[in-house]
Amino acid sequence: MCRLRKGSEYAKLVFGMNQSLDGYVDHMGFAPSPTLFRHFIEEAERQAGSVYGRQMYEVMRYWDDEHPEWDAEQQAFAAAWRNQPKWVVSRTLKSVGPNARLVGEDLEAAIRKLKAERDGEIEVAGPNLAQSLTELGLIDEYRIYLHPVVLGHGKPYFAGPRPPLRLMAHDRIGEDVIRLTYVPA
């Protein structure tokens, strides 16, 4: 679903990921419950697109392929992911998959242009990319999906110093996940 800008509003860049209690986002350390997975399907269906760092894009390319063992929910997520436009920030990739475009050297100009041309929420995927966009002042909202798991290692949600943030909302999703929503302070 491609939503081009209709009014004077800009798209909102949102960085959201699952996180352990000790601050890590290792996707292999824990999986979303069926309720949380349904939430992610609904988010993917309504997002105006996603901006990926190379590593996270390569992980998510899994959803480009068909897997006969998938259940209906996995098929629904794959369909939503495939349908949304994707922008991939990489200096090493030479090509990307369907419905995706490479972002060139000037990250700030490309993302500012994207925000100006689109309406709705654009997901930011990957802590390293999120850190670069945070340093440029381009992320509008941070969503931490806090799981009751301690990993002790992995990639942290914040790849650099945590920016000053203000809590805007908190809500429970399913039995054991709390979504914390922050904006830059």
Side-chain angles (χ1 to χ4, degrees):
M1 170 188 318
C2 178
R3 287 189 285 238
L4 296 176
R5 194 172 126 201
K6 297 174 189 138
S8 60
E9 293 295 315
Y10 291 94
K12 178 166 70 169
L13 270 155
V14 177
F15 174 51
M17 291 190 78
N18 292 310
Q19 177 184 297
S20 65
L21 288 174
D22 54 345
Y24 297 108
V25 297
D26 183 350
H27 71 280
M28 299 302 285
F30 49 90
S33 68
T35 302
L36 184 57
F37 194 64
R38 170 50 47 198
H39 168 81
F40 290 143
I41 293 167
E42 292 166 4
E43 282 209 335
E45 289 172 342
R46 69 176 170 74
Q47 288 168 336
S50 294
V51 180
Y52 286 93
R54 180 192 55 80
Q55 291 175 331
M56 187 58 67
Y57 178 69
E58 289 175 341
V59 167
M60 294 300 290
R61 287 292 310 268
Y62 168 79
W63 297 102
D64 272 338
D65 299 325
E66 288 295 330
H67 295 268
E69 72 277 7
W70 280 350
D71 63 22
E73 296 291 290
Q74 291 167 312
Q75 290 173 3
F77 183 84
W81 190 81
R82 291 174 192 153
N83 285 335
Q84 68 174 227
K86 293 169 267 307
W87 296 270
V88 182
V89 178
S90 174
R91 291 185 193 101
T92 58
L93 290 177
K94 301 298 180 216
S95 65
V96 290
N99 212 12
R101 287 184 271 177
L102 279 170
V103 173
E105 291 297 315
D106 192 347
L107 175 63
E108 182 175 10
I111 300 304
R112 286 192 187 283
K113 181 176 185 234
L114 183 61
K115 286 179 72 165
E117 292 176 347
R118 303 274 166 172
D119 270 338
E121 289 185 3
I122 298 174
E123 171 195 33
V124 173
N128 293 334
L129 173 61
Q131 183 61 37
S132 296
L133 294 173
T134 294
E135 290 170 2
L136 294 169
L138 293 173
I139 295 190
D140 300 294
E141 190 171 289
Y142 299 82
R143 293 181 188 152
I144 298 172
Y145 293 86
L146 194 59
H147 291 253
V149 175
V150 174
L151 296 177
H153 61 81
K155 185 170 283 232
Y157 180 91
F158 290 103
R162 183 182 62 80
L165 300 173
R166 184 178 48 178
L167 181 65
M168 297 302 292
H170 56 86
D171 56 313
R172 188 175 176 165
I173 301 175
E175 291 183 22
D176 59 357
V177 172
I178 303 294
R179 177 177 56 183
L180 302 169
T181 304
Y182 294 91
V183 296

